[in-house]
Amino acid sequence: MSGTASPIILWFRRDFRLADHAALSEAARSGRPIIPVFILDEVVETYGAAAKWRLNEALRVFGDRLKSLGSKLVLRRGGAKNVLGALASETGATAIWWTRAYDPDAIKRDKAVKTSLTSTGRDARSFPGHLLFEPWAIKTKQGGFFKVYSPMWRAVRGRPVDSAKIAPKTLVSPYSWPENVSLESLQLRTAMNRGADVLVRHACVGETRALDRLGHFLDGPIVDYKERRDFPAEEATSRLSENLAWGEIGPRTVWHAGLQAMNEGRQGAEHFLKELVWREFSYHLVYNSPEIVTCNWRPNWNNFPWQENSDDTVWRWKMGRTGVPIVDAAMRQLYVTGYMHNRCRMIAGSYLTKHLLKHWRIGQSWFEECLVDWDPAANAMGWQWVAGSGPDAAPFFRIFNPQTQAEKFDVEKRYISNFVAELVNEPGRDALDFFQACPRSWNLTPDCPYPEPIIDLGEGRRRALAAYEKMKLNT
C-alpha cells in the first residue's frame, strides 16, 4: 500500500520496536505515509565498539520487521540536522517525529534539529516512550528533583502508568522511497574485530526475542528474584537491560507485566519493579543534573585523590588479570558476552576506584566501549554510585571486599570457573572464548599463568580509607 499525502518521517534512535511506541502509533493512526529512518549521526558516532556492534544487530532485525509490514528502514549518515532537513525536502515530508531522549548529548542534538526544522515550517515533534515517567514530572514535596532513590520509589509506586500502545499491523508507504545506504556501509561492526563472532552467541536481539525473554523471566526466575538476583552464576535476573537500552521492548510493557505478576502474588515481582524504577532514577538524575555524566555529582569529591592515568594496573583490570578471581571473572564476562552481572559491576567498580584509586571515569569509558547494554544514564550513575561521588543515602564510605563478596555470592566458584580458564582443569567455552575475543596485542592464551594480585586487599582498603579521611579534612 502506498500513499501520496505528505509523509511523516519517523526518526528511530534507541527505540527499535513496534509496540509501546507512541510516535509510531500516532503516525500509523494518521493514515499518512511513514518513512522510518535511522541516522548514524554525531551522537551515534561516539558510541563504543560493543554498543555500535549491538546497534548494527538491532538495525538489522528491526529493518526485517518493518519489511514484514510492507515498510523499510531508511539508513543515512551525517549530522542529524542536515540529514533530516535534506530528507524532508527530498520526500516532501512536513512532519518529523521521534522518541524523546534525555542525556545531555542527545538533548543538544535534538534541540538543534527541532530549531532547524521548525524554522522551515515543519512539524518537528518529540514523543515520550523511553521512560515510564518524564524526568520533570516527578518532583519532591518541595518541588525539586529526587536525589535519593527510596523517596522516588515511594512517590511513583502507586502512580498510574499508561498502557503500552499496540503494534500497528500495517504501515502506509510513501509513493516512492528515498535513497538508502546499506547497513554494511555504516561499518558499525568494524571496531569489534574478531570479538564480534563471540558476542553474537550471547546477544538477544529484537522485539520478539525481548518479549520471549520477559515471558521466560515471569514464568520462573521472578519468584526468587529478590533473594537470588545477586548470585552471578544463576539465571535469576531478566537480562532485559540489553533490550531496554536499544528500545526493543518498551518500559510500559515491562512495568505492566511486572505489576500483573505482583498482583498475582508472585514473589519477587515488586522488587523487579523497583529495579525498573532504578533505571528511571538514573535518567531523572541525568536530566536534572547533567553534570553527573562527566563530573563528580558531589563537588566535594573533587578533592579525592583519584589517579586518572591508564597505567599497567588499569590495563590489568581491563584484561581481567588483577589476580582477584571474581574481579577477573567479571571483566572477562564483559569481554566475552558484552554484559556483566550487576553485583559484579559493583565489585569490579569498587576495586578500580577504591583498591586501585583510579578515577571512575576510566571505568565509565571502558564500560561504554564494552557493554552491549550500554546506557548513558545508567552507566554514569552506576559508576558514581559505586565510587561514592554520586547519589547515595549510605552515610559511610563503601568499599566492597572482593573476597568476601565471592564467598557470599559465588560460594561454589561456578561464576569464577566459568570465565577464568587458568583456575580450572578443563575450562569451558566461555572461559576459552575470552582468549578468542580479546585483542591479539594482549598476547594472552589459556596457558598463561594466573597473575599474583596487584595489591593486597587489606592494604588497598586501608589506602582508600586514608584517602577518604584526607578528603574530608580538605573539604
Side-chain angles (χ1 to χ4, degrees):
M1 180 179 182
S2 64
T4 57
S6 171
I8 298 171
I9 293 174
L10 277 186
W11 178 22
F12 288 87
R13 296 99 66 81
R14 296 173 75 95
D15 52 340
F16 302 114
R17 63 183 184 272
L18 299 179
D20 196 7
H21 199 298
L24 176 60
S25 179
E26 182 73 16
R29 189 164 51 248
S30 75
R32 293 163 61 182
I34 296 172
I35 303 175
V37 60
F38 168 79
I39 306 168
L40 179 51
D41 61 36
E42 61 270 33
V43 172
V44 183
E45 289 279 14
T46 67
Y47 291 177
K52 281 184 176 177
W53 175 86
R54 182 56 176 79
L55 170 60
N56 183 88
E57 300 306 292
L59 292 169
R60 177 180 56 80
V61 172
F62 186 60
D64 289 343
R65 189 81 189 278
L66 287 173
K67 286 180 183 177
S68 72
L69 298 185
S71 185
K72 67 184 293 185
L73 183 61
V74 174
L75 304 176
R76 292 286 176 96
R77 185 174 199 159
K81 180 178 69 174
N82 294 334
V83 169
L84 288 169
L87 192 58
S89 297
E90 180 183 342
T91 61
T94 56
I96 300 90
W97 297 349
W98 61 85
T99 299
R100 205 167 290 141
Y102 307 93
D103 59 284
D105 290 343
I107 288 174
K108 180 181 178 181
R109 173 197 60 193
D110 295 354
K111 283 184 175 179
V113 166
K114 193 167 190 177
T115 298
S116 177
L117 292 172
T118 54
S119 70
T120 60
R122 294 186 172 94
D123 173 22
R125 197 187 318 174
S126 64
F127 288 73
H130 194 61
L131 301 175
L132 294 170
F133 312 105
E134 297 296 73
W136 53 84
I138 308 299
K139 296 182 179 181
T140 65
K141 293 179 180 179
Q142 293 73 35
F145 68 94
F146 285 96
K147 300 178 182 180
V148 178
Y149 166 76
S150 296
M152 181 171 168
W153 162 249
R154 291 192 293 269
V156 305
R157 185 182 184 278
R159 195 180 180 101
V161 174
D162 291 340
S163 298
K165 304 289 185 182
I166 298 173
K169 292 184 169 46
T170 60
L171 296 177
V172 178
S173 298
Y175 180 74
S176 62
W177 285 97
E179 292 184 7
N180 188 36
V181 302
S182 69
L183 181 57
E184 291 73 22
S185 72
L186 298 182
Q187 297 184 311
L188 292 168
R189 294 170 53 95
T190 304
M192 276 306 304
N193 296 315
R194 62 179 186 162
D197 293 334
V198 174
L199 275 189
V200 73
R201 294 198 286 269
H202 300 276
C204 177
V205 184
E207 186 171 13
T208 300
R209 293 192 66 191
L211 290 169
D212 288 344
R213 177 177 260 178
L214 173 61
H216 171 76
F217 176 69
L218 295 175
D219 286 343
I222 195 171
V223 174
D224 298 317
Y225 177 72
K226 184 177 180 180
E227 291 76 20
R228 309 306 299 175
R229 67 191 179 91
D230 283 320
F231 292 80
E234 300 184 16
E235 294 185 6
T237 64
S238 74
R239 291 290 299 269
L240 285 168
S241 60
E242 173 186 2
N243 308 107
L244 284 165
W246 298 106
E248 293 169 337
I249 193 168
R252 272 157 295 279
T253 298
V254 180
W255 176 267
H256 285 293
L259 190 63
Q260 180 179 341
M262 186 178 76
N263 292 336
E264 292 172 354
R266 270 179 272 182
Q267 296 290 330
E270 181 172 11
H271 208 84
F272 175 62
L273 294 178
K274 292 176 74 172
E275 292 302 310
L276 191 60
V277 173
W278 260 106
R279 177 176 180 268
E280 299 285 313
F281 183 49
S282 68
Y283 272 99
H284 185 76
L285 287 170
V286 163
Y287 179 82
N288 288 290
S289 52
E291 66 276 7
I292 195 173
V293 176
T294 55
C295 304
N296 292 318
W297 192 76
R298 296 177 185 270
N300 61 304
W301 278 80
N302 293 334
N303 295 320
F304 193 80
W306 274 312
Q307 303 162 18
E308 299 196 49
N309 58 315
S310 289
D311 58 15
D312 179 65
T313 62
V314 169
W315 277 106
R316 285 182 60 179
W317 177 79
K318 290 180 178 180
M319 296 162 71
R321 291 185 60 78
T322 66
V324 182
I326 196 164
V327 173
D328 294 339
M331 301 307 294
R332 297 186 192 195
Q333 180 188 29
L334 175 64
Y335 225 79
V336 169
T337 69
Y339 171 83
M340 186 189 293
H341 187 277
N342 190 60
R343 170 59 55 172
C344 298
R345 295 187 198 205
M346 292 188 285
I347 297 169
S350 178
Y351 182 80
L352 178 71
T353 58
K354 308 295 177 53
H355 287 87
L356 299 185
L357 289 179
K358 296 298 181 180
H359 204 292
W360 57 266
R361 283 195 293 260
I362 293 173
Q364 178 195 30
S365 178
W366 188 243
F367 275 25
E368 181 177 348
E369 186 70 13
C370 299
L371 284 171
V372 297
D373 68 353
W374 173 75
D375 176 285
N379 195 37
M381 190 189 77
W383 273 99
Q384 293 237 40
W385 184 89
V386 77
S389 57
D392 186 2
F396 55 85
F397 185 53
R398 180 186 291 105
I399 304 174
F400 285 90
N401 183 316
Q403 183 175 338
T404 57
Q405 289 284 306
E407 290 169 354
K408 182 175 182 180
F409 297 112
D410 192 35
V411 62
E412 296 177 356
K413 298 183 179 180
R414 287 194 293 140
Y415 178 72
I416 292 171
S417 298
N418 192 59
F419 289 104
V420 186
E422 305 95 306
L423 296 179
V424 292
N425 293 326
E426 297 182 5
R429 185 174 189 179
D430 287 343
L432 295 175
D433 272 352
F434 171 71
F435 302 96
Q436 177 63 34
C438 71
R440 290 184 177 88
S441 61
W442 288 5
N443 296 317
L444 296 179
T445 69
D447 298 327
C448 292
Y450 188 67
E452 292 295 319
I454 294 173
I455 187 172
D456 176 78
L457 293 178
E459 173 58 28
R461 176 181 174 82
R462 287 189 292 272
R463 188 173 66 170
L465 287 171
Y468 179 64
E469 292 300 324
K470 184 177 180 180
M471 182 196 77
K472 289 198 298 182
L473 291 174
N474 294 331
T475 299

